[in-house]
Amino acid sequence: MRLLLLAVAWASYASIASAVWLDTNNETTILEATSQVAEGLLNYYQGNTYGGTIGMFTWPYYWWHAGGAFGSLLDYSYYTDDHKYDDLIKQALTYQVGEHYNYVPLNQSTTEGNDDQAFWGFAVMSAAEHNFTNPEDPKLAWLALAQAVFNTMSSRWDMDHCNGGLRWQIFQWNSGYDYKNSVSNGALFHMSARLARYTGNDSYVDWAEKVFDWMYGVNLLTEGEEWFVYDGTHAPDNCSNVTKWQWTYNQGLMLAGCAYLWNYTEDEKWHNRTLNFLHSARVFFYKKSEDAHIMYEAACQSPTSDSYSCNQDQRSFKAYFSRFLGLTSILVPETYDQIRRWLVDSANAAAYSCSGGSDGHTCGLSWTNGSWDGTYGLGEQMNALEVMQNLLVKDRAPPLTADTGGTSIGNPAAGYAAAKTDAEPLDLHAKDKAGASIITAIVGVAIIGTATWLVI
């Protein structure tokens, strides 16, 4: 039996490895590989199990991971033309919208951040751009949902500290509320750029300009020989001290956002910024040989060993980076050759890492050692899936717009009903305070009584 399992595992491994390592121009083998990796990704899904929640993955994966994962699966459906997961994707995207159709569901209000909301927004934006089957309810239209995410995020623009910017967290009681980070602001920039291109509404361009200029003004973006994107800065310090960690997905957000804006506006500054961010993205590729540059998460991974300090969030960042690289390569065609080389090298390496587990195609975190590194998880599967399926971007139509065949219904005012309230602190009025005092007194008496009983 053990020999049989090893044979099956080796067969699965060989299938994946041949899909991208032996012939990166062979679509059939790429399709076989991505099918196996996508299946492995859904091993972590709980929404179709007894007691599970639709749209959610197993612990330790958070709500935002789910938004990222369904974005990956939606792209899988589009790039591979394999639609077996479409019903599951549609069910998740519509189930998790929340009471105000803006991806701020009540059951996430204690933990949700601006960046968390944004990753569901990216998914529905992709659904609109890919003409993914539209829900019948106009309140659930993909474009309207994306606009609701943008509207609620932009309503939280904070002029009281640092002259602008989004905070990391939506709600004041969450740790990190005092932090203004690049992923939240870069996400707003990125959404602005995509909505501008899709709708043709230049007010979104204005917002993209506003966010970009603010990030540059507080030194979250650097310009010059290198165009880097740093992690974040603290509002109580007037954003004077920048945390200079660099993550793949932040670089990708700004890169692809600029690519969308250039594709739409043809403004040369966005063209130049795209090229500059792409040039600096090389810091996330390990030069294993003259002919192989392999993606890795430089801030928490070693390129020469299996050691890493990446947390569960960071272990999925390469997925989004790969996604944004693929988009950039078709929106700014002159970037295609460079990005293609990086994706080919990284997909080859990722394929060799996808040889673990009892199924033989569980993927690891490290892509530089030529084998499975013993790690596994949702992030690892997403990383491999995205880097492989983005080899197919040139064989598919570019993201649609309302003028080029996009059919999703928009609502420029979507989400505004909740936009002014979801970020506000709790407001206790007189009656509320009176009630709270009574409850506090009762709880206090109960505690004292319990303590007395224990002493006796």
Side-chain angles (χ1 to χ4, degrees), residues 157-179:
W157 189 258
D158 173 32
M159 293 299 297
D160 293 335
H161 297 83
C162 313
N163 198 35
L166 281 184
R167 294 173 179 267
W168 178 15
Q169 298 298 325
I170 296 174
F171 303 103
Q172 293 188 12
W173 55 78
N174 284 338
S175 176
Y177 183 76
D178 66 338
Y179 199 54

Side-chain angles (χ1 to χ4, degrees), residues 35-55:
S35 176
Q36 289 179 307
V37 176
E39 182 181 350
L41 184 157
L42 285 168
N43 287 339
Y44 302 95
Y45 185 58
Q46 66 164 220
N48 52 10
T49 61
Y50 180 77
T53 301
I54 295 172

Side-chain angles (χ1 to χ4, degrees), residues 329-405:
S329 72
I330 52 177
L331 292 166
V332 184
E334 70 188 89
T335 69
Y336 178 81
D337 289 343
Q338 174 64 75
I339 291 174
R340 173 75 183 184
R341 285 193 295 272
W342 283 346
L343 291 177
V344 165
D345 291 348
S346 298
N348 281 329
Y352 279 104
S353 86
C354 293
S355 56
S358 60
D359 59 6
H361 49 264
T362 293
C363 302
L365 182 64
S366 175
W367 294 347
T368 58
N369 64 0
S371 63
W372 182 48
D373 62 2
T375 64
Y376 58 89
L378 178 62
E380 286 84 343
Q381 292 297 126
M382 290 168 60
N383 293 340
L385 179 63
E386 287 278 14
V387 77
M388 292 178 185
Q389 67 193 19
N390 274 281
L391 295 173
L392 302 171
V393 292
K394 199 171 185 179
D395 300 323
R396 306 295 182 261
L400 296 173
T401 72
D403 292 331
T404 61

Side-chain angles (χ1 to χ4, degrees), residues 282 284-294 296 303 368:
R282 72 188 188 283
F284 300 111
F285 292 88
Y286 170 59
K287 187 177 180 181
K288 190 168 184 178
S289 69
E290 287 299 322
D291 299 322
H293 295 75
I294 300 170
Y296 76 112
T368 58

Side-chain angles (χ1 to χ4, degrees), residues 58-309:
T58 57
W59 177 258
Y61 304 110
Y62 293 106
W63 183 73
W64 89 270
H65 289 115
F70 282 107
S72 295
L73 288 171
L74 200 149
D75 282 352
Y76 169 79
S77 172
Y78 183 70
Y79 290 137
T80 67
D81 205 29
D82 179 358
H83 300 289
K84 64 175 172 283
Y85 303 126
D86 283 9
D87 289 343
L88 183 148
I89 296 167
K90 186 176 181 180
Q91 181 187 49
L93 292 180
T94 54
Y95 186 85
Q96 289 291 336
V97 294
E99 295 72 15
H100 299 291
Y101 301 92
N102 61 358
Y103 290 103
V104 188
L106 186 61
N107 64 350
Q108 297 298 324
S109 63
T110 58
T111 59
E112 184 175 348
N114 278 299
D115 52 341
D116 304 332
Q117 183 187 19
F119 273 85
W120 287 89
F122 298 156
V124 289
M125 190 72 238
S126 292
E129 292 171 341
H130 295 338
N131 254 357
F132 191 65
T133 304
N134 286 285
E136 294 181 5
D137 185 346
K139 292 194 296 294
L140 294 170
W142 308 129
L143 178 58
L145 292 174
Q147 289 171 312
V149 170
F150 169 84
N151 289 337
T152 49
M153 288 182 68
S154 61
S155 74
R156 303 181 195 120
W157 189 258
D158 173 32
M159 293 299 297
D160 293 335
H161 297 83
C162 313
N163 198 35
L166 281 184
R167 294 173 179 267
W168 178 15
Q169 298 298 325
I170 296 174
F171 303 103
Q172 293 188 12
W173 55 78
N174 284 338
S175 176
Y177 183 76
D178 66 338
Y179 199 54
K180 296 193 174 185
N181 58 355
S182 285
V183 65
S184 296
N185 287 280
L188 181 59
F189 167 77
H190 186 89
M191 284 292 290
S192 302
R194 293 174 75 162
L195 285 167
R197 181 180 177 274
Y198 190 96
T199 66
N201 185 338
D202 286 344
S203 64
Y204 292 118
V205 177
D206 295 338
W207 258 104
E209 296 259 17
K210 181 178 181 177
V211 179
F212 189 99
D213 291 346
W214 180 84
M215 292 180 70
Y216 176 72
V218 296
N219 298 315
L220 291 179
L221 306 179
T222 65
E223 292 185 5
E225 184 177 348
E226 299 294 348
W227 285 50
F228 294 141
V229 187
Y230 295 131
D231 186 76
T233 184
H234 291 275
D237 298 332
N238 198 33
C239 298
S240 57
N241 295 311
V242 173
T243 303
K244 293 190 175 181
W245 294 331
Q246 293 171 249
W247 304 105
T248 52
Y249 75 157
N250 282 337
Q251 194 81 15
L253 280 169
M254 302 308 297
L255 169 69
C258 291
Y260 269 96
L261 288 167
W262 180 79
N263 188 273
Y264 170 58
T265 68
E266 298 185 350
D267 186 331
E268 193 61 24
K269 72 180 176 186
W270 297 117
H271 177 248
N272 291 333
R273 288 170 176 175
T274 302
L275 299 182
N276 284 322
F277 280 124
L278 181 65
H279 172 74
S280 296
R282 72 188 188 283
V283 301
F284 300 111
F285 292 88
Y286 170 59
K287 187 177 180 181
K288 190 168 184 178
S289 69
E290 287 299 322
D291 299 322
H293 295 75
I294 300 170
M295 188 187 303
Y296 76 112
E297 197 61 56
C300 63
Q301 263 190 284
S302 168
T304 57
S305 73
D306 292 342
S307 64
Y308 67 92
S309 60

